[in-house]
Amino acid sequence: MGAFHFSSSTFCATLLLFIANVWLCHGMTRHYRFDIKLQNVTHLCKTKSIITVNGKFPGPRIIAREGDRVIINVVNHVQNNVTIHWYLGSPWADGPAYVTQCPIQTNQNYVYNYTIKGQRGTLFWHAHISWLRATLHGPIIILPKRNESYPFPKPHKEATIIFGEWWNNDTEAVISQALQSGGGPNVSDAYTFNGFPGPLLINSALNDELFFSIANHTMTVVEADALYVKPFETDILVIAPGQTTNILLKTKPNPKHKTYLMAVSPYFTSSGTFDNTTAAAILEYKIPSKINVSHNSIIRVTSRDLPRLPSINDTSFVTNFTQKFRSLNSVKFPAEVPKKVDKHFFFTVGLGTSPCPKNQTCQGPNNRTKFAASVNNISMALPSNALLQSYFYGQNGVFANNFPQMPLKKFNYTGTPPNNTNVMNSTKVLVIPYNSNVELVMQDTSIISAESHPLHLHGYDFYVVGQGFGNFNPSKDPANYNLVDPVSRNTVGVPSGGWVAIRFKADNPGVWFMHCHFEVHISWGLRMAWLVLDGKLPNQKVPRPPADLPKC
């Protein structure tokens, strides 16, 4: 349980919720070394050895300014293969294993090299192989360029909060057992604030979005996924895995108490088992002794003092909250929404099944199948060699370039599921020309159960132009799109039993992963890859890979 101390009357909490090119004329070069090693950590009366960066959990902060070049030497001292994802859009420094690179093997290293462009606020880095991001993650704090101000009141102080989970069991063993049995994985043992479980544990969830609130305080949201938004006030924040946000918190000039509870609890829409925990931490005021307030101590704080959070499946609240996000759309930070669309795509996303192997009992639906997940009924199988390397060197046979642009079979996506719920396993990419204006509609399905899916697109920020419930209607729904100031993000929640529409300009050549940010869903195959072709000019092409790029 952590106590966060704030003493000024106005305070900015930089909240990270889980949780290369060079501009020599504008930025500086910042060097980091990440040693991947084991560290003993004790939580919930149990000591275990976890994989960390530099022995820290969460890992070290990366602090840079927009325009800076960041060079990070990642050295792997553990037996697991490792990669790191940075949310910063450089082809050879993106990180997902077997998509843009082969993993860093034991006693090997790789230098990630990128320049921060067009991003300011909070991001986070994390392992992007299997479930290692459970302990391999940390914040990226991006400050404005020198001599540039925030488009909101300058904070007196900044603090970072990372939401995560604590697992008494080894997460690699958890997902390995689940994939073998075909059932759902075991759940985590507690939510964490900056790596520490709170004392008020009612149960917890790994693969869920989170509600967050601070008792008797109002927050002002000013940024999402390292992009400024039109400020709006809220008592409760909703955050999905992979998303980040910055809030302004104005502390009370005459607080009635010395401490206030902060709490997180899950938003969950599926019909499966889940971890129903609430975790808490303390917001503590440093108050001069001459001021008389109720000095309630941490020990005296109880569950009765928790902020009131929505019910676990309150989709109405989540919808109303997400619709408050708008791009800043100012002269300095315009919303450059593609108005003309060159490529239209329609993806179904959701759960399905795969057959149980002969002479084996599986724990999936009907005890005769395994859980699976897919995009347009394709459950992506990762290759043994990285897609980007294979594309760059013209290696045939690693992937096919015929990923379906729409579902192969139409059905009532949010109604009665089809009789055949099996998915297809393959390694396909979707090829699009450089500089195409893309519209993608992602439709949730209720084949196994309707549920929300936080979809993350690597290499791009996109505009969320529309969303709704039920089946997307291409003849009616686009009329309600917001093409003026839609929010720009890198991760968006596909609503439970609904759809979301995004637009982006495909001006970053390379192979870019897109996947659900629920670890169990990505493990089950809810993932795909875009291949954005090179443009004609030298700066519109994928550069040559660095000499130390890991080999498979």
Side-chain angles (χ1 to χ4, degrees), residues 203-465:
N203 228 326
S204 78
L206 165 66
N207 295 295
D208 300 308
E209 297 161 88
L210 296 174
F211 296 116
F212 170 72
S213 185
I214 305 173
N216 302 116
H217 286 73
T218 298
M219 301 168 282
T220 302
V221 177
V222 295
E223 173 267 348
D225 294 353
L227 295 167
Y228 295 136
V229 299
K230 284 187 173 71
F232 67 90
E233 292 188 350
T234 183
D235 296 330
I236 299 169
L237 193 71
V238 182
I239 194 106
Q243 290 184 333
T244 59
T245 193
N246 280 13
I247 65 167
L248 292 176
L249 176 65
K250 188 171 184 179
T251 56
K252 299 175 181 294
N254 298 298
K256 294 181 179 180
H257 304 283
K258 184 180 178 181
T259 60
Y260 294 86
L261 278 177
M262 304 184 288
V264 292
S265 67
Y267 165 60
F268 186 83
T269 58
S270 180
S271 58
T273 58
F274 70 101
D275 220 346
N276 178 21
T277 359
T278 297
I282 295 290
L283 169 67
E284 181 175 343
Y285 280 75
K286 286 184 176 179
I287 302 173
S289 57
K290 63 182 179 180
I291 299 178
N292 185 23
V293 299
S294 174
H295 286 263
N296 55 324
S297 66
I298 293 177
I299 297 175
R300 291 171 56 191
V301 174
T302 70
S303 59
R304 290 177 299 177
D305 302 301
L306 280 173
R308 190 169 292 184
L309 294 171
S311 61
I312 285 170
N313 60 349
D314 196 341
T315 296
S316 176
F317 180 90
V318 172
T319 302
N320 291 334
F321 177 80
T322 56
Q323 289 177 345
K324 295 178 181 178
F325 285 84
R326 293 285 187 271
S327 289
L328 195 57
N329 197 20
S330 63
V331 174
K332 188 173 182 179
F333 304 106
E336 298 176 335
V337 190
K339 302 297 195 297
K340 175 182 174 293
V341 175
D342 304 309
K343 297 288 184 179
H344 289 268
F345 303 106
F346 182 82
F347 290 177
T348 53
V349 296
L351 304 186
T353 60
S354 60
C356 188
K358 290 184 178 180
N359 302 320
Q360 180 178 331
T361 301
C362 293
Q363 297 176 7
N366 302 319
N367 292 323
R368 296 192 301 272
T369 60
K370 290 187 172 187
F371 277 110
S374 66
V375 181
N376 277 351
N377 206 45
I378 302 293
S379 185
M380 182 182 183
L382 291 176
S384 57
N385 197 18
L387 297 175
L388 181 58
Q389 289 168 271
S390 303
Y391 161 66
F392 188 87
Y393 290 113
Q395 298 169 335
N396 297 321
V398 175
F399 62 87
N401 60 5
N402 59 343
F403 186 89
Q405 300 183 18
M406 58 187 63
L408 299 177
K409 292 184 178 180
K410 293 183 179 180
F411 60 97
N412 183 359
Y413 307 118
T414 55
T416 303
N419 292 329
N420 184 359
T421 61
N422 285 343
V423 302
M424 295 183 292
N425 293 282
S426 63
T427 308
K428 300 174 183 284
V429 302
L430 182 53
V431 181
I432 52 176
Y434 178 82
N435 239 20
S436 300
N437 287 332
V438 175
E439 177 178 306
L440 168 64
V441 175
M442 292 179 284
Q443 171 75 58
D444 181 39
T445 65
S446 58
I447 294 176
I448 300 299
S449 67
E451 59 183 296
S452 61
H453 299 278
L455 264 291
H456 172 49
L457 174 60
H458 288 231
Y460 289 92
D461 295 312
F462 50 76
Y463 290 98
V464 184
V465 297

